[in-house]
Amino acid sequence: MIVLLLLRPPGVYRAQGDTALLTDVLQRGGYATGRHVLDIGTGTGALALAASRAGAASVTAVDLSMRSVAATWLNSRLHRAPVAVRRGDLFAPVADRKFDLIMANPPYVPAATAVLPRYRMARCWDAGPDGRAILDRICAGAAGRLTDDGVVLLVHSAVCDAEHTIARLAEAGLAGEVIERGQVPFGPVMRARAAMLEARGLVEPGQTVEELVVVGARRAA
């Protein structure tokens, strides 16, 4: 995988192991080549740039954060990648379009409350008590923005339950499966919440390694 220099203002998510795992799947599977791509929750634009470099016909990147929108715009210009950047909530800025590939690395870390932060760094990872506040909305909305032969690629922690993701996609008419797994050491956020996650039965006692999953989905036959 080619490592790109990405500008990252304060408050914008830094591309990490989850981004790398999804980028690897994207490149090895040729999912972006010649396709119209939507990157939801783009952050620094790492996935959007990866899709552009992989030969996408077009790339649109969306984020609710103004700082993330600015970072993606700057990074796409820095790397001369033709990425269209839109600010808004998930699919709202592209409600009149359909895409061949929809990909996302959304916030997915279980938090103490259901209240989602708007103006703190925690908005990059906090996703409600079960970590699914944003994931479930993407699963529900993706089918409406997907072409008939389109593909959805989502990366998240196994803590959020990959089978739950597959079930939510099925409710929206998409057939999903886990197509890649990876492991990373707990980062600072997971370490800080290990006791809470253990108490909820989401991680094993003493667990220090997190499993990441990439779920792929297409329209059900």
Side-chain angles (χ1 to χ4, degrees):
M1 182 181 69
I2 298 173
V3 178
L4 298 179
L5 172 65
L6 296 174
L7 302 176
R8 186 181 66 88
V12 177
Y13 182 74
R14 177 173 61 87
Q16 300 182 55
D18 44 11
T19 305
L21 184 65
L22 184 49
T23 298
D24 185 53
V25 169
L26 179 76
Q27 293 173 339
R28 285 190 291 107
Y31 289 101
T33 307
R35 312 285 272 173
H36 297 286
V37 179
L38 175 63
D39 177 22
I40 293 290
T42 191
T44 59
L47 289 171
L49 266 65
S52 180
R53 293 173 69 91
S58 72
V59 181
T60 302
V62 173
D63 205 295
L64 186 60
S65 162
M66 182 63 80
R67 291 186 180 187
S68 293
V69 167
T72 298
W73 188 90
L74 288 170
N75 284 323
S76 63
R77 271 60 189 173
L78 174 66
H79 294 286
R80 299 181 179 180
V83 175
V85 189
R86 303 285 182 264
R87 180 172 184 251
D89 183 29
L90 301 184
F91 301 101
V94 293
D96 59 340
R97 293 188 58 191
K98 291 196 174 185
F99 298 86
D100 305 308
L101 172 63
I102 296 172
M103 57 183 180
N105 177 14
Y108 55 71
V109 179
T113 74
V115 178
L116 301 182
R118 285 292 302 274
Y119 304 107
R120 296 181 290 111
M121 188 64 185
R123 68 183 174 183
C124 297
W125 49 74
D126 277 8
D130 59 1
R132 300 201 57 89
I134 308 300
L135 266 169
D136 285 344
R137 292 183 59 208
I138 294 174
C139 290
R145 303 272 58 83
L146 198 64
T147 58
D148 289 344
D149 63 344
V151 178
V152 178
L153 294 176
L154 303 175
V155 63
H156 63 77
S157 173
V159 167
C160 305
D161 188 354
E163 292 304 317
H164 193 144
T165 297
I166 292 169
R168 285 303 180 99
L169 289 165
E171 290 173 4
L174 300 175
E177 62 178 333
V178 175
I179 59 175
E180 189 63 276
R181 298 180 185 270
Q183 292 190 330
V184 294
F186 277 1
V189 176
M190 290 292 287
R191 288 198 300 271
R193 299 182 185 179
M196 178 189 74
L197 297 175
E198 183 179 327
R200 294 180 183 175
L202 297 176
V203 301
E204 297 295 328
Q207 183 176 334
T208 59
V209 174
E210 179 183 16
E211 183 180 43
L212 301 174
V213 297
V214 175
V215 176
R218 301 175 183 269
R219 293 195 182 280

